Amino acid sequence: TLVHVQSRLELAQPVWQAIDEAFEQRMHERFAGTIRALNLPPRLRVETALLVGEPVEELLGFSDAIGADLLVSGSHGHTLFERLLVGSTTTALLRGAHCSMLVGH
C-alpha cells in the first residue's frame, strides 16, 4: 500500500474542497507514476491511500490497522540543528513503529 498523508491547516471548508480535489488528482497521478516505476510483476496488487492529519500519527495508525510487516520511509537528511528545531518524521516513525522499517535516503 502506497500512503501519503496531507497535513491540514485551519482553513475554511470551501477552500479545502478546492485544495482537496486538486491534491487528490495530483496524488493519484503520482501514485500511478510510482507504481509504473516499480515495474512490479503483474500478480502483485498495489493499493493506495490518501490520509489527512498529522503524518506520524496517521502512518503509524494505518500501519497498525492493516497489520503491516514493513514500513518504508524516505529521509530528507536534516542536520542535527534542523532536527532539533523541526523534529524528524522518520525518527518518530522509527520510535513508534510496531513493525520493521526500511529508511531510504
Side-chain angles (χ1 to χ4, degrees):
T1 304
L2 295 176
V3 180
H4 178 81
V5 181
Q6 174 70 25
S7 60
R8 185 169 285 224
L9 303 172
E10 295 299 322
L11 295 176
Q13 184 62 29
V15 174
W16 271 121
Q17 186 173 359
I19 291 172
D20 286 346
E21 290 170 6
F23 168 73
E24 284 185 32
Q25 179 61 35
R26 275 194 328 271
M27 286 312 303
H28 287 299
E29 291 168 4
R30 288 181 179 175
F31 280 149
T34 300
I35 292 167
R36 281 191 304 274
L38 290 171
N39 197 26
L40 299 169
R43 69 181 183 278
L44 291 180
R45 185 184 74 200
V46 178
E47 297 176 1
T48 61
L50 295 173
L51 307 176
V52 176
E54 194 280 315
V56 173
E57 182 179 305
E58 294 296 323
L59 289 169
L60 292 177
F62 185 83
S63 67
D64 286 345
I66 66 168
D69 295 319
L70 177 68
L71 185 59
V72 179
S73 174
S75 173
H76 290 291
H78 294 295
T79 66
L80 175 60
F81 182 70
E82 290 170 326
R83 283 195 311 267
L84 291 173
L85 289 177
V86 299
S88 169
T89 300
T90 303
T91 299
L93 289 171
L94 283 165
R95 290 182 178 150
H98 296 117
C99 62
S100 298
M101 279 209 56
L102 174 64
V103 178
H105 182 64

